Amino acid sequence: MQEKADMKMSPTDCCVTAETAFNERELYKTLKDILTAYENNEASNEEGLHDINEKLSYFRLNADLKEEIETRLNNVQTLRQNLVEIEKAESLRHVRQLKRKIRSFKSTPLKKTAMKQLKEYEEKFSAETLNNNEPAAKQTALITSIPQCNSPEQVAEILIKHLDSNYMNLGKEGRLYVAGLIMQQREQFKSSQDMRDTAYSYCDRLENEVKTINAARSTDEIVKALFKLPLSIFKEADEKIQKGVAKKLLNNSQTYRNLGTLTVTINQIFKRERRKRARFSQQDDVLFLTFDQQERALECGIGRLNHVPESSLYVAPVQKEPTSAITFKEIN
């Protein structure tokens, strides 16, 4: 270090580099206008989209603006790719898979064009598929059998036989949630296909929240998304535990393919927490107290409170003779 301090530098020993500065707000407005033209079907050349993709690297200070442009660009590119794929569709099943994908996008003229084209192809394949690939009894099975069901469990059993992996991948609680919604509306459906399309739309709604969790950058975003999912074990936990779970999901590098895999991960987190609590229970006769109860416990004369790791629970030894007239029952 002393040798470096004694070194003398001359201007010829230095190298200076520079980059062109951009007004990021102005760049954002320009790119937004270009994207709007694509979303409105007023532009079609690929060069414009490629140019936007290159200019994303110019955003250095405004990460939010960059993220918005990046999201809209991805949406436009995906919709345009799906439009090409629609023209190559060779079956009704393929058309309906594309329909479920496109339905989740924000409403724009480009999306409306895609949905209109899907409808045309759906009508084109419907008659042939129903006549050749699906027995008449199966065509009407959903619309005739589900109204006879008395519980979401019964509806779920039938839906499993008539829906594809999009429904299976929701996990048990997710499947029952969708089955419950279908059961509530069962008298409103005009056909089995109408019922299937509605069930798939609920599946897509749930899976979109999983995508939100995969893309989340804060625990608050994850907590908000988790509350929209049928996850009773999470909703019944207290706020601190919920934030702890969200933090683990945020720090986890795993990408959740569907609601089923996300549910398994969350159940594993809670299972580990239960094991931690069990270790406390084996060490002493203890009483579990919540964050709000700990101050009241101290008023009762309890001198030792231990925090359960990564939770909002505290444990205290159960005293045979409380040091005051207030008992543990009164803490609760």
Side-chain angles (χ1 to χ4, degrees):
M1 294 300 294
Q2 186 60 41
E3 290 178 1
K4 289 184 178 181
D6 294 338
M7 289 175 64
K8 293 183 178 180
M9 301 289 291
S10 67
T12 57
D13 295 323
C14 300
C15 179
V16 178
T17 60
E19 291 184 359
T20 304
F22 287 90
N23 183 326
E24 295 185 12
R25 287 281 175 183
E26 288 299 321
L27 178 62
Y28 165 76
K29 292 177 182 178
T30 301
L31 298 185
K32 186 175 74 169
D33 290 342
I34 297 172
L35 280 170
T36 300
Y38 279 94
E39 291 169 343
N40 291 336
N41 268 345
E42 296 169 359
S44 59
N45 59 313
E46 291 297 327
E47 291 78 9
L49 294 176
H50 182 70
D51 186 51
I52 293 174
N53 193 50
E54 286 187 340
K55 288 181 178 176
L56 283 172
S57 61
Y58 297 166
F59 288 96
R60 301 295 178 84
L61 303 176
N62 292 281
D64 291 341
L65 300 184
K66 178 182 179 180
E67 184 180 358
E68 181 187 331
I69 295 296
E70 196 169 23
T71 300
R72 289 178 64 179
L73 175 63
N74 289 336
N75 287 347
V76 168
Q77 289 177 321
T78 303
L79 278 171
R80 286 165 61 84
Q81 289 167 3
N82 284 332
L83 277 168
V84 173
E85 196 171 345
I86 291 169
E87 296 177 356
K88 299 177 181 178
E90 297 180 351
S91 68
L92 181 62
R93 181 184 179 85
H94 189 190
V95 170
R96 285 175 177 161
Q97 286 175 342
L98 290 170
K99 187 177 180 180
R100 290 198 294 274
K101 287 181 185 177
I102 294 173
R103 189 188 284 127
S104 63
F105 285 93
K106 180 182 176 182
S107 181
T108 61
L110 182 61
K111 176 185 174 180
K112 290 177 181 177
T113 299
M115 294 299 288
K116 181 180 178 180
Q117 195 166 347
L118 280 168
K119 186 177 179 181
E120 293 173 357
Y121 274 76
E122 192 171 21
E123 291 173 352
K124 172 183 174 182
F125 289 117
S126 279
E128 180 183 350
T129 302
L130 291 175
N131 290 334
N132 299 333
N133 300 336
E134 205 172 24
K138 189 173 182 180
Q139 293 175 32
T140 59
L142 277 174
I143 201 71
T144 56
S145 57
I146 285 186
Q148 314 303 321
C149 296
N150 298 315
S151 68
E153 287 78 8
Q154 292 177 345
V155 175
E157 287 180 13
I158 296 173
L159 290 178
I160 286 173
K161 298 175 183 177
H162 293 270
L163 302 182
D164 60 24
S165 59
N166 288 286
Y167 181 66
M168 286 298 299
N169 291 338
L170 295 179
K172 182 179 179 181
E173 200 165 6
R175 291 194 295 271
L176 287 176
Y177 172 78
V178 171
L181 294 175
I182 294 296
M183 187 175 176
Q184 291 174 13
Q185 303 174 55
R186 54 188 170 181
E187 304 299 334
Q188 302 173 19
F189 298 114
K190 298 178 181 179
S191 66
S192 292
Q193 188 55 50
D194 185 23
M195 189 178 290
R196 271 195 289 262
D197 288 342
T198 301
Y200 282 133
S201 70
Y202 290 136
C203 294
D204 293 342
R205 186 189 303 174
L206 295 177
E207 297 298 8
N208 283 338
E209 295 303 327
V210 177
K211 292 177 184 177
T212 299
I213 291 170
N214 285 329
R217 297 186 178 183
S218 70
T219 56
D220 288 340
E221 287 180 74
I222 293 179
V223 169
K224 186 177 179 180
L226 288 173
F227 266 109
K228 295 179 181 178
L229 294 171
L231 297 167
S232 57
I233 191 172
F234 177 82
K235 293 177 181 177
E236 292 169 1
D238 65 56
E239 185 178 351
K240 190 168 183 179
I241 293 178
Q242 289 170 348
K243 289 185 177 179
V245 170
K247 185 177 180 180
K248 287 181 181 293
L249 295 178
L250 183 65
N251 295 334
N252 194 339
S253 58
Q254 178 182 354
T255 298
Y256 305 101
R257 298 190 307 276
N258 48 58
L259 178 55
T261 58
L262 175 64
T263 302
V264 169
T265 300
I266 290 176
N267 285 337
Q268 288 173 344
I269 293 173
F270 276 92
K271 190 175 182 180
R272 286 195 292 268
E273 291 301 318
R274 285 193 291 268
R275 284 201 296 266
K276 289 177 183 178
R277 298 182 201 182
R279 285 200 296 271
F280 275 95
S281 299
Q282 291 166 4
Q283 292 171 6
D284 279 309
D285 288 331
V286 297
L287 181 71
F288 285 103
L289 306 175
T290 66
F291 179 80
D292 294 331
Q293 293 170 331
Q294 62 168 326
E295 291 186 7
R296 186 66 174 156
L298 293 172
E299 292 175 5
C300 294
I302 299 172
R304 181 165 64 91
L305 288 175
N306 294 317
H307 180 234
V308 179
E310 299 182 45
S311 77
S312 62
L313 292 177
Y314 292 80
V315 292
V318 175
Q319 298 183 358
K320 304 296 182 182
E321 298 178 1
T323 55
S324 75
I326 303 175
T327 65
F328 278 108
K329 289 183 179 179
E330 290 178 294
I331 296 175
N332 295 316

